[in-house]
Amino acid sequence: MAIERLFKDEATEEKGGRARMASFIGAMAISDLVKTTLGPKGMDKILQSTGRGRSVTVTNDGATILKSLHIDNPAAKVLVDISKVQDDEVGDGTTSVVVLAGELLREAEKLIMTNIHPMTIIAGYRMAAECARNALLQRTMDNKEDSDKFRSDLMNIARTTLSSKILSQDKEHFAKLAVDAVLRLKGSTNLESIQIIKKAGGSLKDSFLDEGFILDKKIGLGQPKRIENAKILVANTAMDTDKVKIYGARVRVDSMTKVAQIETAEKDKMREKVQKIIGHGINCFVNRQLIYNFPEELFAEAGILAIEHADFDGIERLALVTGGEIASTFDNPESVKLGHCKLIEEIMIGEDKLIHFSGVEMGQACTIVLRGASFHVLDEAERSLHDALCVLSQTVNDTRVLFGGGWPEMVMAKEVDELARKTPGKKSHAIEAFSRALIAIPTTIADNAGLDSAELISQLRAEHHKEGTCAGIDVITGAVGDMQKLGISEAFKVKNAVLLSATEAAEMILRVDEIITCAPRRREDRM
């Protein structure tokens, strides 16, 4: 008996077939959960948190949905992870990657039922993934030489990315915003310099791209409303010592005049600090913390615009964009890097006043102002736009483009099928299964649009036996369409990442043959 009891009382282990079943079921459940959000007619999910605020998120971004779930199943966690990585790496394709991995496991389960060893399946999947990737590589288009064509490629990619999101109604407008913003970056993938400001009110169509930087703050009283050729000092320092604030210390004074003396001393210290700051030869001072009335008066007298309490994200970005650095001591002005811009002025967006910095040092900086009916709409719009910006900035670097609409999957499936026919042994079953899993993506796109997927996929398959076809699913007319005419394109980098991540995740889950769950820790009674 002693050998039996390896684990503590409440630890559980599942071996072999049962463990594998548990991981397959978990992974497939996750993939079915996000499956309905795939494609231009995909649906959204409402996520309601049980936390204090009961906050509600409405989204169809795969990574956002999966990030918010609390999952117990270990295999499901692997899928959540790949969608997160996909989001960080390329920004889009978060749903596709989970759906593909889920389908690969669904096919693997059938093979395991027929007693094919997991390692054989993995070997087959490896070969199939390699073959599928080469099939895509041969068919990529690259227009980086011709800037007009490349721009229209980018527009197509942006439209395709946005068409499955909340912005699909105004996708022309937003595709143009996203492409303009990314082209300003001139090939850097640092999306920091594209700032997104959300202002409720107005409709999504009222969103616009502004060259320069907008800070979500008002200009204080009695201060210049407009400054040309601004020299900006960005700081993070306390400017609120014109009153005596002594925490936890006791000061004994024998009369009120002594208190007044301390206050005067404080005031003088403040005045000295302000003098030092003015000594930098600036005409705009932006502080992360509060600025009290007294220093504000001093700045206003000197004709300096003082902006207080600029939020952290805003101030970091402001320093980056204007080419300055955040300072916190002001004793040696020569070592402080000031920011510069041509014009600072106050503008109105909807009901709010904001401060607009134009003509900044970093030419690629710009701000996208999103308008929308409610905060939920704005959040989702921001997520969608973020996906588009990520994909575009990746495409500017790796300019290879593919058609979309299930075309890449059909191309890959066809090549993989041919590989299966040439491969001897049990591996060929796994390779065939891989091709079936690939076809599941266009099938899901068709199902989500309420079309007859079996009929459509068989038509697609027939089309793809012709050389050089551009056939894919046109969800709008509900038939097989020409992706080139419709201008439905995707970035090669996204598809490539989806293929490789999904295969690796499926492989990882297939390798599992035992799940061990620890016993929960007991609370000790400390009486």
Side-chain angles (χ1 to χ4, degrees):
M1 269 312 279
I3 305 168
E4 297 281 297
R5 300 242 354 234
L6 183 60
F7 298 114
K8 273 195 168 170
D9 282 349
E10 293 182 24
T12 55
E13 60 169 330
E14 292 183 359
K15 280 200 168 76
R18 284 199 52 183
R20 206 168 280 124
M21 275 307 295
S23 26
F24 285 165
I25 288 170
M28 288 191 277
I30 283 285
S31 108
D32 286 344
L33 177 80
V34 292
K35 206 188 234 177
T36 52
T37 67
L38 191 67
K41 296 268 176 141
M43 295 307 206
D44 292 9
K45 310 255 178 250
I46 289 190
L47 309 167
Q48 184 177 16
S49 82
T50 50
R52 269 211 331 256
R54 297 247 161 204
S55 59
V56 172
T57 315
V58 184
T59 177
N60 77 352
D61 177 39
T64 310
I65 295 171
L66 294 178
K67 248 188 293 204
S68 323
L69 298 178
H70 288 282
I71 297 170
D72 203 19
N73 186 300
K77 284 195 174 134
V78 173
L79 291 195
V80 174
D81 269 357
I82 57 168
S83 85
K84 273 187 196 158
V85 170
Q86 181 80 8
D87 199 26
D88 298 342
E89 280 293 306
V90 282
D92 196 20
T94 46
T95 310
S96 316
V97 76
V98 177
V99 171
L100 183 56
E103 289 302 325
L104 287 171
L105 290 169
R106 183 162 299 173
E107 294 295 337
E109 184 191 15
K110 293 175 195 161
L111 296 176
I112 285 178
M113 289 300 179
T114 58
N115 284 340
I116 295 177
H117 192 274
M119 283 307 162
T120 316
I121 301 178
I122 287 173
Y125 276 6
R126 278 267 164 105
M127 289 167 65
E130 190 56 35
C131 163
R133 184 163 178 267
N134 293 337
L136 281 189
L137 275 172
Q138 285 158 15
R139 289 183 177 72
T140 56
M141 300 166 295
D142 197 341
N143 289 332
K144 67 165 169 268
E145 308 307 322
D146 179 350
S147 62
D148 289 348
K149 263 194 174 156
F150 183 53
R151 190 185 159 93
S152 81
D153 272 356
L154 285 179
M155 282 295 288
N156 284 342
I157 288 179
R159 276 190 215 113
T160 307
T161 302
L162 293 172
S163 62
S164 63
K165 307 269 195 286
I166 192 170
L167 302 177
S168 59
Q169 304 310 316
D170 310 315
K171 64 181 171 206
E172 269 309 305
H173 183 67
F174 283 99
K176 197 167 169 327
L177 282 189
V179 172
D180 286 346
V182 168
L183 286 178
R184 288 179 69 99
L185 291 179
K186 303 193 178 51
S188 98
T189 49
N190 178 12
L191 295 177
E192 282 285 299
S193 48
I194 299 180
Q195 186 199 16
I196 298 181
I197 285 190
K198 299 177 291 197
K199 284 281 167 215
S203 72
L204 283 169
K205 273 203 182 58
D206 301 336
S207 308
F208 61 93
L209 176 85
D210 197 301
E211 314 195 342
F213 184 88
I214 297 179
L215 192 65
D216 197 348
K217 280 283 152 221
K218 294 187 176 61
I219 289 182
L221 293 172
Q223 308 209 351
K225 295 279 183 221
R226 176 188 165 97
I227 291 183
E228 289 177 20
N229 294 331
K231 297 191 186 67
I232 308 162
L233 176 63
V234 185
N236 184 1
T237 180
M239 300 294 283
D240 51 359
T241 44
D242 55 351
K243 302 255 191 313
V244 177
K245 289 202 304 255
I246 305 177
Y247 294 113
R250 291 175 63 179
V251 181
R252 285 225 169 130
V253 286
D254 38 22
S255 68
M256 272 317 280
T257 44
K258 293 283 168 65
V259 181
Q261 277 170 8
I262 297 178
E263 290 208 342
T264 321
E266 294 269 312
K267 220 166 182 173
D268 291 345
K269 246 165 70 186
M270 189 78 243
R271 184 174 281 130
E272 205 178 308
K273 186 172 187 178
V274 174
Q275 289 307 328
K276 275 184 190 163
I277 292 173
I278 297 174
H280 288 62
I282 56 170
N283 48 15
C284 173
F285 176 69
V286 183
N287 192 16
R288 164 88 216 291
Q289 300 174 26
L290 282 171
I291 302 179
Y292 263 34
N293 313 3
F294 177 61
E296 196 168 46
E297 279 167 32
L298 295 178
F299 282 126
E301 275 167 28
I304 292 178
L305 168 60
I307 302 167
E308 63 174 2
H309 231 242
D311 56 329
F312 204 68
D313 188 24
I315 195 170
E316 295 260 304
R317 204 175 271 158
L318 181 65
L320 173 87
V321 168
T322 52
E325 279 171 5
I326 298 181
S328 50
T329 54
F330 310 102
D331 291 332
N332 31 3
E334 57 282 350
S335 64
V336 175
K337 227 173 123 192
L338 296 181
H340 294 278
C341 78
K342 295 222 173 60
L343 176 67
I344 302 179
E345 57 187 346
E346 197 170 47
I347 54 171
M348 289 281 289
I349 297 179
E351 296 294 300
D352 296 346
K353 290 185 179 169
L354 298 98
I355 305 173
H356 182 225
F357 296 78
S358 47
V360 290
E361 288 274 304
M362 205 164 142
Q364 56 258 55
C366 59
T367 300
I368 295 177
V369 178
L370 289 178
R371 309 297 311 275
S374 75
F375 291 112
H376 294 146
V377 175
L378 285 176
D379 288 346
E380 177 63 357
E382 181 184 24
R383 277 189 290 271
S384 317
L385 199 59
H386 171 256
D387 278 11
L389 290 174
C390 284
V391 177
L392 290 173
S393 68
Q394 296 286 351
T395 315
V396 172
N397 285 351
D398 179 345
T399 50
R400 289 171 293 184
V401 176
L402 299 160
F403 294 120
W407 176 86
E409 284 79 14
M410 296 308 288
V411 169
M412 292 191 277
K414 182 184 163 204
E415 292 287 320
V416 172
D417 261 339
E418 278 165 23
L419 174 71
R421 290 199 196 97
K422 296 179 210 149
T423 313
K426 285 185 175 172
K427 272 188 215 161
S428 65
H429 293 301
I431 297 175
E432 260 173 38
F434 195 92
S435 120
R436 283 199 297 277
L438 282 170
I439 290 180
I441 287 196
T443 311
T444 309
I445 292 177
D447 283 340
N448 285 348
L451 307 170
D452 179 355
S453 57
E455 170 73 13
L456 268 177
I457 299 299
S458 49
Q459 284 177 13
L460 258 186
R461 204 185 246 144
E463 282 291 322
H464 274 265
H465 269 285
K466 303 173 190 159
E467 275 304 303
T469 171
C470 310
I473 296 176
D474 177 1
V475 279
I476 310 301
T477 58
V480 172
D482 180 337
M483 294 292 120
Q484 192 166 14
K485 283 200 192 92
L486 292 167
I488 297 179
S489 325
E490 300 192 46
F492 167 73
K493 196 158 181 186
V494 175
K495 277 287 168 236
N496 189 32
V498 165
L499 184 70
L500 301 181
S501 309
T503 315
E504 283 177 9
E507 180 182 320
M508 189 170 157
I509 294 172
L510 268 171
R511 284 174 180 271
V512 174
D513 77 328
E514 184 161 0
I515 298 174
I516 299 174
T517 318
C518 287
R521 274 177 56 188
R522 281 282 158 82
R523 289 182 62 175
E524 296 162 17
D525 287 332
R526 293 206 181 84
M527 291 302 283

